[in-house]
Amino acid sequence: MDRIKLRPWRESDIPAVARYADNPRIAANLRDVFPSTYHPEDADWFVRDCMARDGQDVLFRAIDLDSQAVGSISVTVGADVYRRSGELGYWLAEPFWGRGIMTEAVGRICREAFSAFDLVRIFAEPYAANIASRRVLEKAGFRLEGLLRQSVCKKGEILDSCIYALLRQEMPADFPGKWRE
């Protein structure tokens, strides 16, 4: 399914990021570095930072639907003893939730990251209560490795998170493409 493109960020994406990222429902499931309220200056900094750092042990990609940036996805290579692992991060504009877009994007970025870097593993750490994100990972072939009890402090609340991972040899041969329903 080629509904989306993953592409490098460009300055012309700043207005779309400013519009879509200013959503407390997105920020609620991300680290505190993702601001809520999300200002145009935040979008400007984010896009320019992605452009400057892309390829330097990180892949930053805009999720492009109909020539519009509707989300972000990245894989960041770890350091030191974690140098063969990459951390997956992503968000998608709310009007596009529930359409399989993020599952497709996860498959595409993982394939690109395994090709670009000497990784054996890509992992993600969604909050345990973020069932939609957990389902995206599962449909993309990631396995739940564990529940991290009381591992996150978000807005003063202590939350559980999960650790999911996809090993290079587990990458579905036909992915992106058909994923598990």
Side-chain angles (χ1 to χ4, degrees):
M1 182 170 281
D2 291 326
R3 298 180 301 161
I4 63 163
K5 295 178 187 173
L6 296 187
R7 60 165 173 77
W9 286 95
R10 50 189 181 224
E11 286 182 31
S12 60
D13 295 324
I14 293 170
V17 171
R19 179 173 63 253
Y20 288 128
D22 188 23
N23 182 334
R25 292 185 64 189
I26 293 172
N29 288 303
L30 299 176
R31 294 178 181 170
D32 287 343
V33 70
F34 190 96
S36 182
T37 307
Y38 201 100
H39 298 284
E41 302 80 38
D42 298 317
D44 185 81
W45 177 87
F46 173 76
V47 170
R48 291 178 193 286
D49 185 61
C50 289
M51 290 168 54
R53 293 180 42 218
D54 186 48
Q56 301 172 17
D57 291 334
V58 64
L59 293 176
F60 286 115
R61 296 291 177 261
I63 300 171
D64 183 303
L65 181 66
D66 298 326
S67 300
Q68 176 183 214
V70 298
S72 175
I73 192 162
S74 65
V75 173
T76 305
V77 177
D80 197 9
V81 297
Y82 301 105
R83 66 187 168 273
R84 301 286 305 274
S85 291
E87 183 174 9
L88 173 68
Y90 51 81
W91 65 266
L92 184 66
E94 188 173 3
F96 306 98
W97 292 358
R99 296 177 168 182
I101 291 169
M102 190 53 75
T103 301
E104 185 175 340
V106 167
R108 288 173 182 265
I109 195 79
C110 288
R111 187 162 306 288
E112 184 177 355
F114 280 133
S115 176
F117 304 120
D118 189 25
L119 298 176
V120 297
R121 177 176 190 275
I122 297 174
F123 71 94
E125 295 183 8
Y127 302 151
N130 188 349
I131 302 303
S133 186
R134 294 177 63 181
R135 185 71 182 124
V136 161
L137 294 166
E138 290 164 1
K139 288 183 354 185
F142 281 67
R143 292 187 189 177
L144 176 64
E145 294 185 331
L147 174 72
L148 306 173
R149 298 177 308 145
Q150 298 184 3
S151 59
V152 175
C153 181
K154 181 72 176 177
K155 292 191 172 186
E157 186 179 354
I158 302 298
L159 305 173
D160 295 341
S161 65
C162 297
I163 183 120
Y164 281 83
L166 177 69
L167 302 182
R168 178 187 290 271
Q169 67 264 25
E170 295 171 342
M171 183 77 194
D174 63 344
F175 208 90
K178 292 187 178 182
W179 50 78
R180 296 176 225 168
E181 294 299 331

